């Protein structure tokens, strides 16, 4: 058996974590021979609930879980981490302006970024899930200057998986038969699900999605809006936000960082935009197509971008720039 790795999940008493923790503990993220010390962080009023989660994890009798630590203290939670999955954030409440939401979250992620900087390993991989995920991730990264900014990513894999699934459903194939969808930009309703590079396996051979579907109107219209607004649709139906699918996407995202992406396939994740070749301004945390090898991501280069895509990519970049400016005003005063 290898040495245990230390994995933190924040917002650990919440519903996404409840769907996520078992998958981390049973080896489906870091491999079946990787022991784990699992650290659970939440706010003080949630410690009673967190104790219940701790009991359940113990009751799962998972052989890979060397230890489970439940805490409300950052100096305990962030110590010597290999992986930090930041799920906890201030949720948007009714009547709350996006600006107020940003302000509350800047405070949280500034503090957590500083804790990463002070206590975690410099090689730590940080995955931000809590919304607004892109800007929260940028805030954490800026607050942890001694950790390489490439080590920070945010979750757009749920959008990626949603896009994949919609195409698979429309064609009557499995999601595995659909590859290379792209989510560009912000994890918000301005995100752009791009299908121009998608390959679909039909009757044993790979074809482009436009050829496979022969329904350009759907791909440019209903498909895009369905993916963009899927989160809201789930809330409307369940009266709760996506948890099972969010947890599955986190597992996919982290597993790909750990083990790399399959040959000939790329995935979407929010990463620092510096040095991209797609005309996205530097210093934004923007979702791109990436390939991953040796725990290091690289942009997928040289994809042709048509006018339809360009407009949508610029729109979401503009939103992210505005969010960043608002967040940074709060960051300097927080």
């Amino acid at each position: 058996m290898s040495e245990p790795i230390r994995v933190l999940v924040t917002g650990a008493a919440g519903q996404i974590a409840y769907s996520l923790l078992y998958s981390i503990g049973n080896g489906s993220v870091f491999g079946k021979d990787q022991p784990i010390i699992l650290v659970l962080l939440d706010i003080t009023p949630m410690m009673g609930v967190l104790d219940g989660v701790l009991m359940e994890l113990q009751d799962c009798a998972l052989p890979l879980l060397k230890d489970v630590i439940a805490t409300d203290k950052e100096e305990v939670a962030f110590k010597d981490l290999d992986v930090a999955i930041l799920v906890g954030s201030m949720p948007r409440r009714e009547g709350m302006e996006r600006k107020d939401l940003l302000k509350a979250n800047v405070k949280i992620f500034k503090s957590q970024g500083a804790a990463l900087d002070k206590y975690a390993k410099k090689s730590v991989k940080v995955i931000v899930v809590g919304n607004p995920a892109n800007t929260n991730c940028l805030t954490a990264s800026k607050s942890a200057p001694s950790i390489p900014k490439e080590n920070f990513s945010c979750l757009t894999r749920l959008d990626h998986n949603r896009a994949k699934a919609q195409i698979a459903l429309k064609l009557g194939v499995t999601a595995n038969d659909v590859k290379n969808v792209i989510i560009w930009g912000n994890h918000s309703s301005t995100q752009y699900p791009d299908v121009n590079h998608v390959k679909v396996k039909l009757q044993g051979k790979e074809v482009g999605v436009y050829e496979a579907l022969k329904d350009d109107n759907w791909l440019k219209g209903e498909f895009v809006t369905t993916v963009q607004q899927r989160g809201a649709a789930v809330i409307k139906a369940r009266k709760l936000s996506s948890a099972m699918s969010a947890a599955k996407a986190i597992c996919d995202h982290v597993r790909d960082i750990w083990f790399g992406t399959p040959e000939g396939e790329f995935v979407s994740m929010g990463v620092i935009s510096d040095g991209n070749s797609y005309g996205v301004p530097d210093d934004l945390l923007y979702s791109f197509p990436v390939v991953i090898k040796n725990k290091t991501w690289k942009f997928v280069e040289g994809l042709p971008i048509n006018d339809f895509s360009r407009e949508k990519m610029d729109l979401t970049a503009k939103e992210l720039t505005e969010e960043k400016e608002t967040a940074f005003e709060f960051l300097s005063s927080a």
Side-chain angles (χ1 to χ4, degrees):
M1 281 297 225
S2 31
E3 278 295 291
I5 54 171
R6 281 181 88 92
V7 180
L8 165 68
V9 177
T10 72
Q15 58 148 1
I16 290 177
Y18 195 74
S19 287
L20 171 66
L21 293 168
Y22 176 70
S23 297
I24 293 174
N26 75 5
S28 39
V29 178
F30 297 103
K32 300 289 181 193
D33 53 2
Q34 178 58 67
I36 290 168
I37 296 166
L38 191 52
V39 190
L40 311 176
L41 175 70
D42 216 312
I43 54 176
T44 312
M46 297 304 288
M47 289 311 285
V49 176
L50 196 55
D51 277 339
V53 175
L54 177 65
M55 285 188 260
E56 282 209 72
L57 278 167
Q58 291 166 342
D59 298 347
C60 286
L62 294 162
L64 291 173
L65 276 190
K66 287 293 167 233
D67 195 9
V68 184
I69 299 156
T71 183
D72 56 357
K73 295 181 177 55
E74 287 186 343
E75 63 274 20
V76 175
F78 286 89
K79 188 107 188 81
D80 297 331
L81 290 181
D82 295 286
V83 179
I85 304 172
L86 309 183
V87 181
S89 65
M90 167 72 84
R92 191 168 186 168
R93 303 221 165 85
E94 204 125 346
M96 201 182 200
E97 290 292 324
R98 196 167 172 88
K99 211 169 178 160
D100 301 329
L101 183 71
L102 272 168
K103 188 174 186 174
N105 280 297
V106 163
K107 207 174 152 188
I108 296 168
F109 286 86
K110 181 183 183 176
S111 176
Q112 294 190 352
L116 283 162
D117 204 53
K118 193 169 173 186
Y119 301 112
K121 290 182 180 173
K122 299 307 172 199
S123 58
V124 65
K125 300 293 185 194
V126 184
I127 297 91
V128 176
V129 179
N131 283 320
N134 300 58
T135 300
N136 287 345
C137 188
L138 191 60
T139 300
S141 173
K142 294 285 182 194
S143 308
S146 70
I147 295 168
K149 45 190 171 188
E150 295 72 32
N151 288 22
F152 287 80
S153 60
C154 82
L155 187 78
T156 54
R157 185 60 168 265
L158 178 52
D159 311 303
H160 180 100
N161 287 350
R162 285 165 171 163
K164 227 176 144 153
Q166 287 301 313
I167 292 166
L169 285 165
K170 187 87 171 164
L171 281 167
V173 297
T174 71
N176 254 7
D177 296 324
V178 180
K179 68 178 194 188
N180 299 348
V181 302
I182 301 170
I183 303 296
W184 296 101
N186 199 1
H187 173 63
S188 74
S189 58
T190 67
Q191 60 167 274
Y192 169 45
D194 177 3
V195 294
N196 288 298
H197 314 284
V198 171
K199 295 271 181 276
V200 183
K201 200 184 247 171
L202 282 184
Q203 286 107 32
K205 65 176 208 284
E206 278 192 356
V207 294
V209 72
Y210 279 95
E211 189 190 333
L213 264 173
K214 300 181 173 55
D215 188 346
D216 296 14
N217 284 346
W218 182 78
L219 282 170
K220 286 203 162 117
E222 193 189 329
F223 163 76
V224 173
T225 51
T226 299
V227 175
Q228 286 175 335
Q229 292 159 20
R230 187 68 158 188
V234 171
I235 291 175
K236 195 168 179 238
R238 267 192 92 221
K239 312 292 176 264
L240 291 164
S241 56
S242 313
M244 178 172 40
S245 54
K248 158 66 164 60
I250 294 165
C251 291
D252 291 345
H253 178 122
V254 178
R255 191 188 313 105
D256 284 345
I257 289 176
W258 214 247
F259 293 108
T261 45
E263 198 58 44
E265 207 167 312
F266 48 78
V267 295
S268 308
M269 54 176 69
V271 293
I272 193 73
S273 60
D274 298 4
N276 77 86
S277 60
Y278 293 106
V280 176
D282 280 356
D283 205 39
L284 286 182
L285 214 294
Y286 187 101
S287 181
F288 287 93
V290 298
V291 288
I292 304 165
K293 201 176 176 176
N294 304 328
K295 298 190 174 64
T296 307
W297 58 266
K298 284 194 170 76
F299 296 121
V300 174
E301 297 288 4
L303 297 171
I305 303 295
N306 60 28
D307 293 346
F308 180 79
S309 295
R310 181 78 267 159
E311 191 183 330
K312 294 216 172 334
M313 286 162 69
D314 290 346
L315 187 75
T316 191
K318 182 172 177 281
E319 181 182 60
L320 276 171
T321 305
E322 286 162 9
E323 257 183 47
K324 172 183 143 175
E325 283 163 7
T326 307
F328 283 19
E329 277 166 42
F330 296 135
L331 192 56
S332 48
S333 62

